[in-house]
Amino acid sequence: MLRLSLFALYIAIFAKLHLAAVAQDGQADIGPQPTSGIIERVMLYRDQALVTRVVPIPAGLAEREILVGRLPERVVVDSVYAEGSEAIEVRGVRVTQQAAAESDQIEVRELTASRDALAKDRESLQQKIALIAKQTSYIDQLMSFTAVTSHADLNRGVLNASTLTELAEYSISKQTTLSADLQNQKAELASILEREGLVQQKLALLIQPSGRQYQAKVLVAVPADVAGTIELSYLVGGCGWSPQYTLRGAVGQEKFELRYNALVEQMSGENWNQVHLTLSTASPSMSASGPALTPFRVEAVSAANGGYGGDIFGGAGGMGGAGYGGEGAGYGGQGASTVDPFGGPAGQAGIQQQSQQLRQQKQAVENEFAGKHSNMDNLRRDNALNSVATQVQNMELLADSKQLKTLAADANDEVASQTYVLDQPVSLDSRREQQLVRIIDAQLAGKLYHVATPLLSSFAYREADMVNAGTVGLLRGPATIYLDDRFVGRAEIPSIASGQHLVVGFGADQQIRTRRELLEKSDEVQGGNRRLTFKYRLVIANFKDRSVTLRLYDRLPLAGQSAEVSVKPLDFQFPISEDGLYARMQKPRGVLRWDLEVPGERFGETSYDVEYSFSVEFDRNRRLSASADQEQIEADILELSAPSAGGMGGYGGSVPPPIP
């Protein structure tokens, strides 16, 4: 009996040891258990995001493999890297794909069942709402019948007051009940629709087109019995942001409230919950190496054979030559130039068009090689950029100097590389709808004034000249404008650097009106020349009970052939503005500006008048003709808009006589 008991004990101990060994072997076969870590930081670029997860590393084996699972489908595999804390060394990172986990499949089935149940509830509620609508229509008909019947019975003298009262009370009571029931059903329907949307979003995240998901295997070395963390970072697509503004002002105040928001698109495939978000205009795909400038080689050729648009502009190799693009390929192509630098039909408009094409080609090259970092890619990029630069300088060699002065554009499309670090954590789910994130709320010091241009509009417009006193620049983006808490319109905020002026319109003011009158015109011949003299009156009507600050604009003729046409300012009732930026950019182009303080209640016979005169002299055998070339007008608008956009104040072109 004792021997049997000892034998049974041995068998039990052996069985336990065997099961423990099997369990241990099973765990070894399973390998490291996946972990997701916590998404702690996101650097959101204009079309990508750099996501950083923090993964805890418990104390244990000195060298081990950490499996970080559930990486989003749009992850850029080559961008995944990891860094360890002080005590942990990362020795390798490898990204693989694996089949979706069984838990995910179970969750998909549960969400699908929930979605189907919600759909049935929604259909049932929609049927109830339709039935209530029919019942309400029936009650309305009953009340109409009661009113008609009571009127007829009253005319015949057989009115049954008690019956009619019962019908009316029933109808009102029933209508009240149906109305309350309808509101309850609609509220429940809205709740179901919201829950359906959430379930659909979760399903969209779980059901990937490939049916697979990414995971990162990180090999780490850890000192004995030491715990720590690693940071796993990766680029992900399907996300980006754009700026959006709300600007508020008030009459009589010199502070303007600016709210700078980011309109975020987040369809990366993973949710960002309470992350530290940074917005950036940099490109994570740009090469770290700048382009290399090559020599600019020139030679004297026959004007008939080479000329403008010859070998450099459209030769056999296009812009890129034999090394980039082949014959007629690349960013140029044979005969690409349409500009006549010797005063042909293309003229100034052709120069502007060619310059714009070259800027587009340069941007196309930069986009083509974004994300390519090898030495060969850098060589091809430098080849293409130097080819564009050669075309630009060839245009400078051959075109007229007056035409070229207007081609230098301010570099204000983007304010360098801006980075905005948000103070509070942000949650952004992966979904189709765009989401709004507040960047900053700021107060800009400035002044509100009126602008009147009688040639263009009979109303004056409000403008505000503000200064971006913040430490960061503002990007180009749409803005919603309010004045005295009233919506006045929409505008576009240009790119504004820190410390730069910002000029924004605040809508038309119908209480300030203006018109332009030709008072006198004389025509006389002096020797071989003909002289025309004009006298104008600009009329300002101020219907307000207070004075307003007004910038009044008009213009003198600008002679395209200054040697043949002479424009002379004569008498000016008020002096021209002494504003520095106006004097630098607009005044030399013949634009007139007066800075006025127009008193209140000046209209009708007491309107505020501004008079001036000028003369135009030219050969008596010729006649004057105004140019209305659309491309030239567009070029002038772009050039002269700098004072209204806080520009750098560049200027080029012919200069008319001084304005008094």
Side-chain angles (χ1 to χ4, degrees), residues 241 260 277-280 418-422 439 472-475:
W241 71 282
Y260 186 6
L277 182 65
T278 300
L279 304 171
S280 176
Q418 290 295 314
T419 300
Y420 307 101
V421 181
L422 303 192
I439 301 177
V472 296
L474 305 178
L475 304 180

Side-chain angles (χ1 to χ4, degrees), residues 312-605:
I312 294 179
F313 271 79
M319 179 192 96
Y324 190 79
E327 183 172 351
Y331 292 93
Q334 189 168 0
S337 175
T338 60
V339 179
D340 180 2
F342 305 105
Q348 175 71 23
I351 287 284
Q352 295 284 348
Q353 182 180 5
Q354 182 68 18
S355 177
Q356 182 179 5
Q357 290 175 355
L358 292 174
R359 286 196 294 268
Q360 292 174 349
Q361 290 173 9
K362 179 172 176 278
Q363 185 64 48
V365 173
E366 293 174 347
N367 293 338
E368 170 76 15
F369 290 95
K372 300 177 181 179
H373 316 304
S374 69
N375 290 337
M376 182 57 67
D377 288 328
N378 287 340
L379 180 63
R380 296 175 69 236
R381 176 203 62 185
D382 295 352
N383 184 7
L385 289 177
N386 276 278
S387 296
V388 176
T390 300
Q391 296 186 57
V392 172
Q393 288 189 275
N394 198 39
M395 184 164 54
E396 294 173 355
L397 287 177
L398 301 174
D400 184 85
S401 61
K402 293 180 180 179
Q403 297 172 334
L404 292 171
K405 285 182 179 179
T406 62
L407 297 184
D410 290 351
N412 60 358
D413 287 342
E414 294 293 347
V415 187
S417 178
Q418 290 295 314
T419 300
Y420 307 101
V421 181
L422 303 192
D423 295 332
Q424 301 296 328
V426 175
S427 294
L428 293 168
D429 292 340
S430 180
R431 62 187 188 191
R432 293 183 179 275
E433 297 80 12
Q434 291 180 317
Q435 304 169 69
L436 206 61
V437 175
R438 185 183 307 177
I439 301 177
I440 54 174
D441 282 331
Q443 282 197 338
L444 307 183
K447 185 177 181 181
L448 193 67
Y449 54 88
H450 287 75
V451 176
T453 310
L455 263 172
L456 305 180
S457 175
S458 59
F459 296 108
Y461 282 76
R462 299 183 183 91
E463 271 189 1
D465 187 349
M466 299 163 279
V467 178
N468 178 21
T471 58
V472 296
L474 305 178
L475 304 180
R476 181 182 301 275
T480 305
I481 311 298
Y482 294 87
L483 182 66
D484 293 333
D485 293 328
R486 292 183 294 106
F487 171 75
V488 295
R490 291 182 171 85
E492 183 180 66
I493 299 293
S495 297
I496 300 295
S498 175
Q500 192 175 1
H501 280 256
L502 168 65
V503 178
V504 178
F506 276 80
D509 187 347
Q510 298 189 10
Q511 288 186 288
I512 309 295
R513 306 193 182 191
T514 180
R515 69 176 184 273
R516 184 176 186 265
E517 301 173 353
L518 176 59
L519 295 180
E520 298 177 9
K521 176 184 177 182
S522 63
D523 188 347
E524 56 184 339
V525 176
Q526 296 180 347
N529 289 340
R530 181 182 177 187
R531 185 183 187 191
L532 301 178
T533 303
F534 301 87
K535 184 176 182 180
Y536 287 95
R537 174 192 292 160
L538 307 178
V539 181
I540 310 298
N542 181 7
F543 294 94
K544 297 179 181 291
D545 59 0
R546 56 180 175 80
S547 64
V548 295
T549 301
L550 179 73
R551 295 182 182 180
L552 179 64
Y553 285 92
D554 207 62
R555 64 187 179 185
L556 296 176
L558 181 64
Q561 300 165 310
S562 56
E564 299 181 10
V565 181
S566 174
V567 180
K568 293 183 179 180
L570 299 176
D571 297 326
F572 280 66
Q573 181 180 356
F574 294 99
I576 294 298
S577 172
E578 297 180 356
D579 179 78
L581 194 55
Y582 159 72
R584 178 186 175 108
M585 298 194 62
Q586 295 179 303
K587 186 176 179 180
R589 305 290 286 179
V591 176
L592 303 175
R593 169 180 155 185
W594 292 269
D595 294 339
L596 307 170
E597 193 71 23
V598 181
E601 298 182 350
R602 293 289 296 269
F603 51 87
E605 61 181 12

Side-chain angles (χ1 to χ4, degrees), residues 11-47:
I11 291 297
I13 293 174
F14 175 78
K16 288 183 178 180
L17 292 174
H18 177 71
L19 290 174
V22 170
Q24 186 174 1
D25 291 341
Q27 288 178 358
D29 293 338
I30 293 174
Q33 296 300 306
T35 179
S36 297
I38 298 175
I39 299 178
E40 186 176 86
R41 300 190 308 275
V42 175
M43 173 75 79
L44 183 59
Y45 301 101
R46 302 303 288 269
D47 57 358

Side-chain angles (χ1 to χ4, degrees), residues 167-418:
L167 282 174
E169 290 178 350
Y170 170 78
S171 299
I172 294 172
S173 175
K174 191 65 176 176
Q175 195 174 46
T176 302
T177 302
L178 289 174
S179 178
D181 194 16
L182 180 62
Q183 295 299 322
N184 293 334
Q185 300 291 349
K186 285 184 176 181
E188 189 174 351
L189 178 61
S191 175
I192 287 179
L193 290 173
E194 182 179 1
R195 284 151 54 196
E196 265 192 306
L198 292 175
V199 169
Q200 199 64 39
Q201 289 176 15
K202 293 180 180 179
L203 276 173
L205 294 178
L206 286 173
I207 303 176
Q208 299 182 0
S210 62
R212 303 180 67 86
Q213 58 188 8
Y214 290 94
Q215 62 181 5
K217 295 181 179 180
V218 185
L219 182 63
V220 298
V222 186
D225 299 327
V226 173
T229 60
I230 61 170
E231 290 188 351
L232 185 76
S233 300
Y234 49 88
L235 288 173
V236 65
C239 50
W241 71 282
S242 59
Q244 187 181 83
Y245 299 91
T246 300
L247 188 60
R248 296 180 181 271
V251 174
Q253 294 186 7
E254 296 186 352
K255 292 287 186 180
F256 298 85
E257 296 179 2
L258 177 72
R259 173 162 294 180
Y260 186 6
N261 296 319
L263 198 60
V264 177
E265 178 182 346
Q266 213 286 70
M267 297 178 61
S268 65
E270 62 182 358
N271 296 333
W272 302 337
N273 184 34
Q274 292 295 297
V275 299
H276 297 286
L277 182 65
T278 300
L279 304 171
S280 176
T281 62
S283 174
S285 300
M286 293 300 291
S287 173
S289 301
L293 185 64
T294 62
F296 177 48
R297 305 181 186 278
V298 298
E299 59 182 359
V301 298
S302 170
N305 296 331
Y308 195 72
D311 292 341
I312 294 179
F313 271 79
M319 179 192 96
Y324 190 79
E327 183 172 351
Y331 292 93
Q334 189 168 0
S337 175
T338 60
V339 179
D340 180 2
F342 305 105
Q348 175 71 23
I351 287 284
Q352 295 284 348
Q353 182 180 5
Q354 182 68 18
S355 177
Q356 182 179 5
Q357 290 175 355
L358 292 174
R359 286 196 294 268
Q360 292 174 349
Q361 290 173 9
K362 179 172 176 278
Q363 185 64 48
V365 173
E366 293 174 347
N367 293 338
E368 170 76 15
F369 290 95
K372 300 177 181 179
H373 316 304
S374 69
N375 290 337
M376 182 57 67
D377 288 328
N378 287 340
L379 180 63
R380 296 175 69 236
R381 176 203 62 185
D382 295 352
N383 184 7
L385 289 177
N386 276 278
S387 296
V388 176
T390 300
Q391 296 186 57
V392 172
Q393 288 189 275
N394 198 39
M395 184 164 54
E396 294 173 355
L397 287 177
L398 301 174
D400 184 85
S401 61
K402 293 180 180 179
Q403 297 172 334
L404 292 171
K405 285 182 179 179
T406 62
L407 297 184
D410 290 351
N412 60 358
D413 287 342
E414 294 293 347
V415 187
S417 178
Q418 290 295 314

